[in-house]
Amino acid sequence: MKKYSDIDKLLIKSNDILDMLFNIKSLGRPYPADKIEESESMTKYNRKLVNNLMRVNHAGEVSAQGLYIGHAILAKTKDQKEMMLRMASEEKDHLEWCEKRIKELKGNTSIFNPVWFSGSIAIGMLSSISNDKNALGFIEETEKQVAEHLESHIKKLPKDDKKTYSILKKMKSDEEHHGETAHVNGATELSGNLKKIMETTANVMKFVSYKI
Ligand SMILES: [Fe+2]
Ligand SMILES: [Fe+2]
């Protein structure tokens, strides 16, 4: 069996991290709004409203990429790392769907996406430092908050915007599944204070990316 020097090991690890940072592939699942016609209720006002909502959701998916990559970098076992990368690929589908919807509406994504991405990698790594069960606890709570947030956006959509509705519904069901996956794999329950901090941090991102 080949023996690796410390330098070799360091190079392998950095290549591995670069691969995770830049090469997460989506699963390529079909765009949920593909066969749905644009509603006539999408006036200039409604397009702007939906674009603002989808800019927030797109920023959320950029953050999800960062979080899952951060978790994968510091995962303690191969199984945990693979689980994180699989969920990152599912989140990449969401990212592509949000981007496509924003393009259809001729809108724009958040200029702060690099900030959300890098900040989320740091948060993902921080919550994975101690052990995998704590990282799963963080994921379970994050996905719960994301699913609640998506439901609040579904309620804000113009009545006939079935395209955006179908995307958000599918994303919500995936996020609930991610939370369940974390739960059945032994997630530790987080403290109330930590949950509150996570909610406040997410609210800052939502507030800013709704505007710009
Ligand atoms: Fe997502
Ligand atoms: Fe998710």
Side-chain angles (χ1 to χ4, degrees), residues 4-121:
Y4 290 106
S5 69
D6 286 348
I7 300 276
D8 283 340
K9 282 185 203 157
L10 196 66
L11 283 174
I12 292 168
K13 183 73 183 163
S14 9
N15 278 340
D16 198 29
I17 291 174
L18 284 175
D19 200 47
M20 286 190 268
L21 281 174
F22 299 109
N23 279 326
I24 299 288
K25 303 265 185 299
S26 69
L27 296 183
R29 290 175 292 167
Y31 180 50
D34 222 9
K35 296 195 169 74
I36 303 172
E37 287 291 312
E38 194 67 82
S39 157
E40 285 177 9
S41 73
M42 294 304 279
T43 56
K44 197 175 168 197
Y45 175 86
N46 280 343
R47 280 175 181 266
K48 187 166 170 38
L49 165 72
V50 176
N51 181 48
N52 288 344
L53 297 174
M54 290 310 276
R55 189 184 313 110
V56 174
N57 296 321
H58 181 268
E61 295 302 334
V62 167
S63 305
Q65 286 298 300
L67 283 176
Y68 279 110
I69 289 169
H71 289 305
I73 290 173
L74 285 192
K76 307 291 178 273
T77 64
K78 192 168 167 272
D79 282 354
Q80 175 91 356
K81 181 179 167 188
E82 282 172 0
M83 196 197 315
M84 297 302 111
L85 292 178
R86 193 172 56 248
M87 294 210 258
S89 287
E90 291 182 20
E91 303 289 6
K92 193 80 182 257
D93 278 342
H94 298 173
L95 185 70
E96 291 176 358
W97 298 342
C98 289
E99 211 165 293
K100 185 160 182 182
R101 186 63 182 135
I102 289 170
K103 271 195 189 135
E104 287 172 350
L105 296 166
K106 301 193 172 33
N108 55 293
T109 54
S110 171
I111 62 166
F112 288 107
N113 281 339
V115 177
W116 315 136
F117 183 61
S118 45
S120 300
I121 293 173

Side-chain angles (χ1 to χ4, degrees), residues 113-195:
N113 281 339
V115 177
W116 315 136
F117 183 61
S118 45
S120 300
I121 293 173
I123 293 173
M125 288 175 74
L126 259 180
S127 65
S128 298
I129 276 182
S130 52
N131 62 64
D132 286 347
K133 304 288 178 214
N134 285 351
L136 290 170
F138 181 88
I139 289 169
E140 184 180 15
E141 178 59 24
T142 304
E143 295 290 2
K144 179 175 162 278
Q145 292 186 12
V146 173
E148 286 165 4
H149 154 82
L150 288 172
E151 185 57 36
S152 78
H153 271 198
I154 287 170
K155 292 198 173 104
K156 286 180 187 154
L157 291 177
K159 198 164 59 75
D160 294 327
D161 183 7
K162 296 203 168 57
K163 278 180 97 73
T164 314
Y165 176 88
S166 66
I167 298 165
L168 296 187
K169 269 283 180 196
K170 177 65 187 137
M171 279 166 53
K172 184 182 171 222
S173 117
D174 285 350
E175 315 302 13
E176 284 165 348
H177 186 246
H178 294 157
E180 280 157 26
T181 305
H183 185 77
V184 298
N185 280 283
T188 309
E189 170 92 23
L190 303 186
S191 73
N193 279 346
L194 190 52
K195 289 180 186 177

